């Protein structure tokens, strides 16, 4: 009994350290590779705890190996937008100007109930009130309401739609153009390159650049 207790504590400490190394995320925010590693770690950890005849190394070595692979994968995904898109997917716009994109719904296997549930979690009960809704790679829905439906009750104080109020999209991600973001904000690569030239910088030096439909942008250079 004492041996089992000590082995359990050792495995528990190893798992805590491993999760800490991989970073802090809630279950709903895990990327596919992170979720796979988490499930595998739980299975590997249970073996030496349940069977005292197995050496602790049977569980610890595979766990540490998975953690190393996950850390390596995280760095690879961070430095390669193309690889990140292949492994983790990319955000998908599912509602534009109050209209549901049924093609995206089919691709993501979203039902109407799924979509409405996510909207309600964002305090939206009518999809026509949504200017833009994006399904993130974690499956969560980010919602940007139309101007007249945003807080504070603009309709009650007589405000109408403000054309300058629109969401921003990522147009440069870690030194690479994000063609989907450029398309969503209604610009092209020439426009982006022109703004970079004004700032006297190069795309390879940019960590992230966001831009909206009105051409308002923000650039963050790599340190």
């Amino acid at each position: 009994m004492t041996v089992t207790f000590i082995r359990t504590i050792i495995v528990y400490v190893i798992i805590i350290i491993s999760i800490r190394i991989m970073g802090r995320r809630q279950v709903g925010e895990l990327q596919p590779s992170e979720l796979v590693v988490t499930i595998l770690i739980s299975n590997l950890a249970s073996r030496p705890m349940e069977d005292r005849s197995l050496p602790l190394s049977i569980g610890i070595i595979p766990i540490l190996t998975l953690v190393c692979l996950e850390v390596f994968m995280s760095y690879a995904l961070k430095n390669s937008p193309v690889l990140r898109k292949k492994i983790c997917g990319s955000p998908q716009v599912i509602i534009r100007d109050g209209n549901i994109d049924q093609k995206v719904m089919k691709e993501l296997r979203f039902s109407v109930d799924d979509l409405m549930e996510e909207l309600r979690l964002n305090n939206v009960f009518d999809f026509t009130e949504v200017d833009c809704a994006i399904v993130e790679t974690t499956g969560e829905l980010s919602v940007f309401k139309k101007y007249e439906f945003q807080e504070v009750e603009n309709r009650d104080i007589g405000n109408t739609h403000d054309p300058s109020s629109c969401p921003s999209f990522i147009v440069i991600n870690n030194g690479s153009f994000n063609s989907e973001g450029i398309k969503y904000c209604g610009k092209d690569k020439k426009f982006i390159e022109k703004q970079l030239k004004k700032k006297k910088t190069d795309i390879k030096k940019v960590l992230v650049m966001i831009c909206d439909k009105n051409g308002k942008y923000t650039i963050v250079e790599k340190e």
Side-chain angles (χ1 to χ4, degrees), residues 125-171:
F125 291 81
D126 185 346
F127 62 83
T128 61
E129 297 179 1
V130 177
D131 182 67
C132 179
I134 302 173
V135 180
E136 307 293 353
T137 57
T138 58
E140 295 183 347
L141 191 71
S142 300
V143 177
F144 184 85
K145 293 183 180 180
K146 292 180 179 178
Y147 180 78
E148 60 266 30
F149 297 107
Q150 295 176 17
E151 304 295 345
V152 178
E153 297 294 331
N154 291 293
R155 291 175 296 174
D156 295 339
I157 57 177
N159 283 353
T160 56
H161 177 64
D162 183 358
S164 66
S165 177
C166 56
S168 296
F169 297 91
I170 296 176
V171 293

Side-chain angles (χ1 to χ4, degrees), residues 4 20 41 47 70 72 85-86 103 105 113 131 136-137 146 148 154 181 186 211 215:
T4 302
R20 182 66 185 87
I41 285 178
R47 293 182 61 195
E70 176 55 31
F72 173 78
K85 184 175 180 179
K86 293 292 184 183
K103 182 179 178 181
M105 282 188 66
D113 289 336
D131 182 67
E136 307 293 353
T137 57
K146 292 180 179 178
E148 60 266 30
N154 291 293
C211 183

